[in-house]
Amino acid sequence: MSRPRTPAVVVLLVAALLASAVAGLALGPVRIAPGQVLDIVLGGPGRRGGAFASIVWDVRMPRVLLGAVVGAGLAVAGTVLQALVRNPLADPFLLGASSGASLGAVLVIVLGAGAAGTAGTAGALGAVGAIGALGVPAAAFAGSMGALVAVYAMARRGGTMTTGRLILAGVAVQYVLSALTSLVLVLAAHPDQLRSVLFWTLGGLGGARWDELPLPAAALLAGTALLIALARPLDLLLAGEEGARTLGLDTGRFRAAVFVLTSLVIGVLVAFSGAIGFVGLMVPHAARMVVGAGHRALLPVAALGGAVFLTLADLVARTAAAPEEIPVGVVTALVGGPFFLWMLRRSTRVEGVAG
């Protein structure tokens, strides 16, 4: 079967993203008709008269936009990590990057504040006022980078990287980082800090605010643009280590540079959303099935797919158990867990290692 053309796929995904955004703005504890949502949005931020307009612009719109940005970024990061390690089972969560970023952010929250603010992203950033608003993203980046380097070093031990070793290293680092985060949770002195730490361990978009959107959006746009510019070297890695070197690519230096860039994107995103797993595993795989493995087409399609997926996942998290809210990381895990098991069963290389 021939693959659909990339422009057609992009148009369909943009339409799906717009539809999911409208649904995210319309549905919740207070339901607003989609037509009224469109009227409020198209009327601009100046149309703030009434409770519905306030709900759309001040509460739901920042959350929907942050979900789209984080979903797109995690999908792009997962796509690139899968190319770097030549393994479709790699993603920011399974390789420990999200857990490392969460640990870094949590340490800043607990150690950098005498008393935390309210739960969520706003409270997390407010709790580190003495350090500055960039303290949490910077610590999250350091944790993400450290986790990826540790997993990569362990997987490459002995000069070769196997699927089984990569998965074992990622799971080991993830468990260690999760244990350290739990230790910080136990030792946290203030109840407000406990709530902030839980936000990072479960993931959530409830603390989204307009003034926090520029940084993750800038990280997504800049990181994705640079990675699309590196599409050809990423494609060369698909030919294997020796093949890429024969074609003139310095694989060691290139991998190191892209790992830094990917860690920066992941760290900034997780600093505003907490640890949300499986987006970077499922979406790149689905996008690759649709448009192929070429990264110039794959990366934009994965970004749009990730934005759609996390926007819908957050909608489910807000409405499935209303009036209670489920952490969005729980929703993505419920979908991603079975998907990961299906991929394990489908991968002949993993089966060979397991056997």
Side-chain angles (χ1 to χ4, degrees):
M1 295 179 63
S2 61
R3 299 183 188 274
R5 292 183 180 273
T6 302
V9 175
V10 169
V11 169
L12 289 174
L13 286 174
V14 169
L17 179 58
L18 292 175
S20 62
V22 171
L25 296 174
L27 300 178
V30 176
R31 301 205 169 203
I32 307 173
Q36 191 168 1
V37 168
L38 292 175
D39 184 55
I40 293 172
V41 172
L42 296 178
R47 185 177 289 184
R48 292 181 178 272
F52 285 171
S54 178
I55 291 172
V56 169
W57 280 109
D58 299 332
V59 178
R60 294 181 184 173
M61 182 69 79
R63 181 167 185 159
V64 169
L65 292 177
L66 181 62
V69 167
V70 172
L74 292 178
V76 167
T79 302
V80 173
L81 288 176
Q82 290 170 10
L84 290 181
V85 299
R86 298 183 62 225
N87 192 303
L89 299 178
D91 91 320
F93 188 77
L94 292 176
L95 293 185
S98 294
S99 298
S102 296
L103 176 60
V106 166
L107 286 173
V108 170
I109 293 171
V110 173
L111 301 179
T118 58
T121 301
L125 292 179
V128 291
I131 298 176
L134 292 178
V136 172
F141 165 64
S144 171
M145 182 68 181
L148 280 173
V149 169
V151 171
Y152 185 70
M154 286 188 285
R156 287 284 296 179
R157 189 174 182 181
T160 59
M161 180 187 299
T162 65
T163 299
R165 187 177 296 158
L166 177 69
I167 295 174
L168 290 175
V171 170
V173 169
Q174 181 185 339
Y175 271 118
V176 170
L177 295 175
S178 297
L180 291 175
T181 303
S182 298
L183 179 62
V184 173
L185 176 62
V186 171
L187 297 179
H190 303 282
D192 288 336
Q193 288 180 339
L194 297 178
R195 289 195 293 270
S196 295
V197 171
L198 280 176
F199 162 80
W200 294 107
T201 58
L202 298 177
L205 305 172
R209 301 187 328 195
W210 280 108
D211 60 348
E212 295 174 352
L213 286 174
L215 184 56
L220 169 67
L221 293 175
T224 303
L226 288 172
L227 291 169
I228 290 177
L230 297 173
R232 184 178 180 277
L234 288 170
D235 290 343
L236 293 180
L237 288 178
L238 301 179
E241 194 86 11
E242 294 301 323
R245 288 178 180 173
T246 302
L247 294 172
L249 180 65
D250 186 342
T251 56
R253 184 172 298 178
F254 177 74
R255 275 198 173 96
V258 176
F259 260 93
V260 171
L261 176 59
T262 306
S263 297
L264 176 60
V265 174
I266 295 171
V268 172
L269 295 177
V270 174
F272 290 90
S273 68
I276 300 175
F278 294 103
V279 178
L281 171 68
M282 295 183 291
V283 175
H285 183 72
R288 200 175 290 111
M289 293 175 65
V290 175
V291 297
H295 287 85
R296 191 169 298 278
L298 179 61
L299 288 172
V301 169
L304 288 170
V308 172
F309 175 72
L310 194 56
T311 301
L312 293 176
D314 185 56
L315 178 60
V316 172
R318 289 192 288 117
T319 59
E324 298 296 326
E325 183 174 315
I326 303 172
V328 68
V330 174
V331 176
T332 60
L334 290 174
V335 178
F339 182 87
F340 181 65
L341 293 176
W342 173 75
M343 285 202 66
L344 280 175
R345 183 177 180 181
R346 186 171 180 268
S347 174
T348 56
R349 288 180 299 171
V350 173
E351 287 175 358
V353 173

